[in-house]
Amino acid sequence: EAEVAQSPRYKITEKSQAVAFWCDPISGHATLYWYRQILGQGPELLVQFQDESVVDDSQLPKDRFSAERLKGVDSTLKIQPAELGDSAMYLCASSARISSYNSPLHFGNGTRLTVT
Amino acid sequence: AQTVTQSQPEMSVQEAETVTLSCTYDTSENNYYLFWYKQPPSRQMILVIRQEAYKQQNATENRFSVNFQKAAKSFSLKISDSQLGDTAMYFCAFMKYNNNDMRFGAGTRLTVKP
């Protein structure tokens, strides 16, 4: 079964450094999401793409976070500079189209970020 | 804004027995979708079961079933004949109709004991 690929699996960085995460959605999936999951909490949406366009980034801390999906396929999430409070699991998910009831979210394994 | 509440941070059940995980949500919408996702330790999150709010019949997927009470805004998950592989975090999630903003609860950590 096709999967959402994420890398790296783990990342340790010092505060004030830059860090980037990569996601490759399931082939053909037009919608891509980045979620942040703080330990002990449920995932929270950071940004949603439809093809190469941002649909929703209202919860993305834009002073330090950026996301792109230039060719409408894979995506990169960047944090610069990283802060201690950014330590979390960053999950990427994809779905075939906008209405995801009939095309549910498929999640990757996530990138666990630790900021020291 | 929609909120999802899972009031049981942790639960445990003996293998082969039945367990019910609770979820309540708050919304003013009439049409929406509800989901249960499972996140095994160190593995990816996967969809367990889903329910459309306008359908009164409770969804069932093999050993997993839901008790959807729309008036009470409750969406509990029942796992029958629990298996060791059911050990995981379980997240309840809400999504408005025609809107991709899925809101998750804080999760319930379920441990199935042999």
Side-chain angles (χ1 to χ4, degrees):
Chain A
E1 184 176 327
E3 293 188 346
V4 176
Q6 286 189 251
S7 67
R9 189 73 184 268
Y10 303 94
K11 180 69 177 179
I12 299 174
T13 191
E14 294 183 347
K15 64 180 180 179
S16 80
Q17 296 298 305
V19 64
F21 314 129
W22 177 80
C23 171
D24 191 13
I26 291 173
S27 179
H29 277 195
T31 311
L32 184 147
Y33 313 77
W34 283 101
Y35 282 88
R36 177 171 59 186
Q37 185 180 16
I38 296 170
L39 189 64
Q41 299 182 20
E44 294 179 307
L45 180 68
L46 291 175
V47 62
Q48 176 189 337
F49 289 92
Q50 179 68 16
D51 299 312
E52 67 277 8
S53 300
V54 173
V55 174
D56 182 358
D57 64 356
S58 57
Q59 300 302 311
L60 188 71
K62 298 181 188 64
D63 57 334
R64 298 184 300 108
F65 286 64
S66 64
E68 60 183 16
R69 193 184 184 199
L70 293 176
K71 296 182 179 179
V73 181
D74 58 336
S75 175
T76 302
L77 178 69
K78 297 179 181 177
I79 307 175
Q80 182 174 17
E83 296 181 353
L84 295 177
D86 296 332
S87 294
M89 176 76 82
Y90 289 83
L91 296 169
C92 180
S94 70
S95 62
R97 52 190 181 274
I98 279 283
S99 176
S100 68
Y101 177 81
N102 290 314
S103 104
L105 296 182
H106 294 261
F107 284 87
N109 283 318
T111 295
R112 182 167 295 284
L113 173 67
T114 301
V115 182
T116 62
Chain B
Q2 284 66 231
T3 59
V4 180
T5 302
Q6 294 180 248
S7 58
Q8 306 151 313
E10 294 189 28
M11 294 193 71
S12 63
V13 63
Q14 292 295 133
E15 195 175 7
E17 297 198 342
T18 296
V19 64
T20 298
L21 308 184
S22 301
C23 173
T24 58
Y25 55 94
D26 183 28
T27 185
S28 58
E29 302 289 328
N30 191 46
N31 291 328
Y32 50 87
Y33 307 126
L34 296 161
F35 305 82
W36 278 98
Y37 277 85
K38 167 185 177 181
Q39 189 176 39
S42 300
R43 296 185 63 185
Q44 65 200 106
M45 192 176 300
I46 57 173
L47 178 66
V48 174
I49 198 165
R50 51 190 163 172
Q51 174 85 36
E52 296 176 85
Y54 69 85
K55 288 189 176 178
Q56 294 186 347
Q57 185 173 5
N58 289 323
T60 300
E61 290 285 345
N62 301 313
R63 298 182 295 107
F64 299 87
S65 61
V66 298
N67 183 3
F68 173 47
Q69 301 290 327
K70 190 172 184 179
K73 297 180 182 175
S74 171
F75 184 61
S76 61
L77 174 69
K78 185 171 81 171
I79 306 174
S80 304
D81 185 26
S82 297
Q83 301 176 359
L84 296 178
D86 295 333
T87 292
M89 283 290 290
Y90 285 82
F91 293 97
C92 178
F94 170 99
M95 187 176 71
K96 287 194 295 185
Y97 176 76
N98 223 20
N99 181 313
N100 253 169
D101 185 2
M102 185 173 288
R103 301 296 176 105
F104 289 84
T108 296
R109 183 177 303 279
L110 176 67
T111 302
V112 180
K113 298 179 178 179

